[in-house]
């Protein structure tokens, strides 16, 4: 199974979710700002990466985890990928997970300052603060994804 | 080989249908009464097979074409689909003024106006065929 976490820039919410899912971040402890900033891809992708699916690792069950920036087109990945999977008759399943539901205003503002305006000093301060506040939501989202995966693989 | 027409309006559907229909009817005609997809803001559809045996698809969503193209390429890379098995085509700018206006209307979200303009392009009489000039 391929799991693609996507958000506006593919660099904050989706990276957080992918980091939790792959075990880089512990679900029961809110990470420190330095932990966040040391994550691969966290606050690093920008406009030239929109639309690119970037590998992030594997979870304990061997599922491949990816992150994707898709700008404001939240429904696009699921629609396009479903159509392509059908067109090519792909056997390996995937799921596209919108992580924008976990976003808060500090993440949006901080992310824009850091990635959009390149004001990394103030931007990172705000976006890491927002990310820490959003962390429980991200953990809950990943838990839901795992639960859904369990339902899919569990024999009926 | 699969051909994907991409655009930010249903014109990619029209372009894909035109290519597929060329082999079926031998004419660049699309019947508007057979076209249900024009109301979709975003859609992925199979239009058919062209005379070279290519499977023709259309994808559209309100976005810039770069993101849509990258999504397709990136997903194909992810599954190891070689680039020679598919091609992505942008819908060219139509030559007809009315078609250009209809495209602009779709881009502005004025779907009713776009449909009205497309209907004006139908052939005279009771035919519901639309001369399509979007495929070069």
């Amino acid at each position: 199974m391929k799991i693609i976490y996507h958000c506006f820039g593919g660099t904050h919410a989706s990276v957080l979710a992918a980091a939790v899912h792959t075990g880089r971040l512990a679900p029961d402890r809110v990470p420190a700002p330095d932990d966040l900033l040391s994550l691969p891809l966290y606050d690093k992708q920008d406009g030239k990466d929109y639309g690119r699916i970037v590998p992030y690792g594997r979870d304990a069950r061997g599922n491949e985890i990816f992150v994707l920036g898709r700008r404001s087109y939240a429904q696009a990945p699921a629609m396009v990928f479903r159509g392509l999977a059908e067109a090519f008759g792909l056997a390996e399943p995937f799921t596209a997970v919108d992580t924008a539901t976990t976003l808060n205003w500090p993440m949006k503002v901080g992310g824009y300052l850091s990635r959009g305006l390149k004001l990394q000093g103030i931007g990172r301060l705000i976006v890491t603060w927002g990310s820490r506040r959003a962390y429980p939501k991200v953990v809950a989202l990943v838990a839901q994804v795992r639960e859904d995966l369990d339902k899919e693989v569990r024999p009926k | 080989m699969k051909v994907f027409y991409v655009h930010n309006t249903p014109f990619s559907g029209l372009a894909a249908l035109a290519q597929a229909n060329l082999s079926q009817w031998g004419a660049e005609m699309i019947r508007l009464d057979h076209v249900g997809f024009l109301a979709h803001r975003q859609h992925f559809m199979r239009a058919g097979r062209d005379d070279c045996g290519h499977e023709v698809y259309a994808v559209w969503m309100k976005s810039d074409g770069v993101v849509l193209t990258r999504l397709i390429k990136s997903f194909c890379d992810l599954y190891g689909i070689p680039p020679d098995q598919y091609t992505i085509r942008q819908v060219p700018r139509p030559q007809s003024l009315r078609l250009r206006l209809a495209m602009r209307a779709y881009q502005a979200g004025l779907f009713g106006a776009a449909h009205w303009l497309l209907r004006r392009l139908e052939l005279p009489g009771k035919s519901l065929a639309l001369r399509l000039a979007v495929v070069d």
Side-chain angles (χ1 to χ4, degrees):
Chain A
M1 170 72 94
K2 298 180 193 295
I3 300 158
I4 304 164
Y5 287 104
H6 58 87
C7 64
F8 186 97
T11 197
H12 296 120
S14 57
V15 169
L16 271 185
V20 171
H21 200 130
T22 52
R24 286 177 196 268
L25 291 176
D28 54 352
R29 189 178 65 86
V30 177
D34 285 347
D35 296 335
L36 294 172
L37 291 170
S38 63
L39 286 173
L41 302 180
Y42 185 84
D43 200 51
K44 293 184 180 70
Q45 301 212 93
D46 50 30
K48 68 180 189 310
D49 302 302
Y50 290 145
R52 293 190 209 286
I53 303 168
V54 184
Y56 206 80
R58 283 178 186 270
D59 68 6
R61 296 177 184 184
N63 296 312
E64 292 177 274
I65 313 296
F66 301 86
V67 297
L68 165 69
R70 42 69 179 158
R71 299 190 62 184
S72 57
Y73 316 119
Q75 295 167 343
M79 178 197 72
V80 173
F81 299 162
R82 205 167 39 238
L84 289 170
E86 202 171 302
F88 286 104
L90 301 176
E92 189 183 357
F94 70 90
T95 183
V97 182
D98 183 10
T99 59
T101 52
T102 67
L103 281 174
N104 51 32
W105 279 105
M107 288 180 80
K108 290 178 188 174
V109 172
Y112 176 68
L113 289 172
S114 177
R115 305 317 306 156
L117 300 182
K118 305 294 179 196
L119 299 171
Q120 290 187 345
I122 183 73
R124 285 188 169 177
L125 199 67
I126 298 170
V127 79
T128 52
W129 179 61
S131 296
R132 297 182 78 231
R133 286 183 65 191
Y135 196 68
K137 268 186 151 181
V138 175
V139 170
L141 176 70
V142 173
Q144 184 63 52
V145 170
R146 284 190 172 132
E147 197 180 313
D148 292 346
L149 289 175
D150 284 345
K151 281 180 196 163
E152 281 181 27
V153 297
R154 196 178 295 151
K156 293 174 183 169
Chain B
M1 169 71 93
K2 299 186 191 305
V3 179
F4 297 100
Y5 278 94
V6 298
H7 202 245
N8 55 5
T9 72
F11 267 71
S12 56
L14 293 175
L17 268 189
Q19 180 169 341
N21 285 343
L22 282 175
S23 61
Q24 291 174 22
W25 297 332
E28 293 183 17
M29 298 171 81
I30 292 172
R31 291 189 172 279
L32 277 185
D33 56 347
H34 292 170
V35 176
F37 60 75
L38 290 174
H40 291 284
R41 307 258 159 176
Q42 57 177 32
H43 199 46
F44 190 112
M45 59 170 260
R46 180 182 178 277
R49 195 180 286 269
D50 72 5
D51 48 5
C52 300
H54 300 147
E55 291 283 331
V56 187
Y57 295 84
V59 197
W60 66 95
M61 62 181 209
K62 191 169 168 45
S63 77
D64 59 65
V66 177
V67 172
L68 189 48
T69 303
R70 279 187 193 159
L71 282 176
I72 295 171
K73 283 185 178 170
S74 195
F75 190 80
C76 289
D77 287 347
L78 192 66
Y79 278 90
I81 298 163
D84 60 359
Q85 283 193 21
Y86 67 94
T87 181
I88 300 170
R89 289 190 188 159
Q90 302 286 338
V91 176
R93 191 166 176 258
Q95 291 182 344
S96 151
L97 177 63
R98 275 184 180 166
L99 277 174
R100 284 209 300 274
L101 284 173
M103 187 182 271
R104 285 280 179 209
Y106 276 127
Q107 287 166 335
L110 305 171
F111 275 51
H115 293 178
W116 184 85
L117 282 161
L118 287 177
R119 291 270 176 207
R120 303 285 81 72
L121 290 165
E122 288 171 4
L123 292 176
K126 294 190 176 181
S127 168
L128 287 171
L130 162 73
R131 277 192 198 282
L132 192 76
V134 295
V135 179
D136 54 3

